[in-house]
Amino acid sequence: MNVLILGGTTESSALARALAGDGRFRATLSLAGRTRRPLPQPLPCRVGGFGGVEGLASYLAEHRVEALIDATHPFAAQMSRHAAQAARQTGTRLLAVVRPAWCPQPGDRWTAVPSMVAAAEALGRVGRRVLLTVGQQDLAPFAAAPWHSYVVRSVDPPSPHTLPPGAEVITARGPFAEPDERRLLAERRVEVLVTKNSGGEATRPKLDAARALGLPVVMVARPDPPPGVERVATAAQALAWLVHQHGAAPRGG
Ligand code: NAP
C-alpha cells in the first residue's frame, strides 16, 4: 500500500520508524522544510510545499497514494486543511494523528488565548521578562510589543528582522528535562512563559518548571482541525489503522 505521511512531528517520526521495515507499506515522509537540519528519517523523504490543494491532489494521483496520514503539528492548520480537501477530491483515505492538548493542573497559572496576537496583548503594557517558545514563524506580534524583554527559544535561529528588539536567542531542540527548564527560567530571570498548546512530552517540562516556580503561562489555543477527518492520538494507533486499511484494500490490480 502506498502511504504518504505529512510529517515534522514526534508522531510522524515514530510512524516512519514503524513502517520502515514493514513490507506491506511503501511509505514516503513529507516535510515542510522548516528546520535547517531535520533529524535523519528511516523512510524516503520529500521536502517542501506541494503547491496548495491542487498540488497535493496531483501528487496523490501521480504517486498512486492509497492512504494519506496527516501527522503535522497541531498548529499546521493550513496543511491539515489542504490534506482534507485534497483527500476528498481524489478519494484518498485520510487519517490525522493529533497528540492530545495539554491541560492545566493544580498550581498552574495559565491564561488561555486564541491567537499569537492575543498572547502578545495578554503580556500587558508594563515591561516583563518573557520566555517565548512559539516557533520562529510567529514572532511578529511580540516585535510589536517591544517594551517587554524577550528570551526566544527555537530549533534554528530566527531571522534577525523577525526578532523583537534586544531579544536573547537560545537555539535548542527538545526533548527538554524539567530541572534544566527550571534552571533556564531562573537564570534568565523569566517572569512569564508564552507557548502554543502543542501537547506531547518533549516540551511539557517547561510547564512543570513554570508551575514549580509559580510563574504564569500564556497558553495559545490550537486552531480548529478540519471537520470530518478521522483522528487518532498516537503513531501506534495510526499503524493499527493502516494495517486495517491494508487488510480491507482491494489488491492485485
Ligand atoms: P502550515 O501553515 O499549515 O503550512 C503552510 C504550508 O507549508 C502548507 O500549505 C504547505 O505548502 C507547506 N507544508 C506544511 N507542512 C508540510 C509538510 N509536512 N509537507 C509538505 N509541505 C508542507 O504549517 P507550517 O508553516 O509548517 O507551520 C504552521 C505552524 O505550526 C507554525 O506556527 C509552526 O511554528 C508550527 N509548527 C511547529 C512544529 C514543531 O514541531 N514545533 C512543526 C511544524 C509546524 P503548500 O501549500 O505549498 O503545499
Side-chain angles (χ1 to χ4, degrees):
M1 171 177 268
N2 291 330
V3 179
L4 177 65
I5 306 169
L6 304 173
T9 57
T10 311
E11 289 73 19
S12 67
S13 298
L15 184 58
R17 281 194 299 278
L19 292 180
D22 192 323
R24 291 171 292 189
F25 303 103
R26 207 168 22 248
T28 300
L29 183 65
S30 174
L31 301 173
R34 300 280 175 262
T35 51
R36 287 178 204 173
R37 288 180 308 279
L39 296 172
Q41 297 290 339
L43 287 179
C45 276
R46 62 161 305 287
V47 180
F50 295 92
V53 176
E54 296 310 320
L56 178 56
S58 302
Y59 183 99
L60 295 175
E62 270 168 35
H63 293 81
R64 300 175 191 280
V65 173
E66 298 167 85
L68 175 61
I69 306 290
D70 174 12
T72 54
H73 192 267
F75 280 78
Q78 180 167 306
M79 189 69 251
S80 293
R81 219 169 35 244
H82 289 184
Q85 289 171 21
R88 207 174 307 124
Q89 271 183 29
T90 55
T92 309
R93 283 167 278 203
L94 170 64
L95 179 73
V97 188
V98 188
R99 64 176 90 125
W102 292 315
C103 294
Q105 296 183 20
D108 277 331
R109 298 174 55 202
W110 291 10
T111 301
V113 294
S115 68
M116 216 49 81
V117 169
E121 281 167 7
L123 293 174
R125 302 294 303 176
V126 177
R128 299 163 92 183
R129 185 95 173 129
V130 184
L131 176 61
L132 287 183
T133 60
V134 298
Q136 44 175 322
Q137 289 171 259
D138 289 303
L139 295 172
F142 304 97
W147 50 91
H148 302 297
S149 144
Y150 296 98
V151 179
V152 176
R153 181 168 74 186
S154 60
V155 175
D156 292 316
S159 18
H161 72 272
T162 64
L163 280 172
E168 298 167 25
V169 174
I170 300 171
T171 51
R173 194 200 295 259
F176 300 102
E178 196 265 350
D180 299 330
E181 297 293 66
R182 218 180 318 163
R183 196 172 315 118
L184 168 73
L185 292 171
E187 283 175 359
R188 300 278 178 152
R189 304 181 321 285
V190 170
E191 295 171 298
V192 54
L193 166 68
V194 182
T195 180
K196 296 171 184 164
N197 196 334
S198 299
E201 291 306 306
T203 58
R204 194 179 48 84
K206 64 189 170 191
L207 303 175
D208 301 330
R211 186 185 318 111
L213 296 172
L215 294 183
V217 174
V218 177
M219 182 64 70
V220 183
R222 296 173 170 198
D224 290 333
V229 176
E230 191 175 349
R231 287 216 261 174
V232 295
T234 65
Q237 290 167 330
L239 178 63
W241 182 88
L242 279 169
V243 169
H244 178 77
Q245 299 300 323
H246 179 269
R251 305 235 71 87

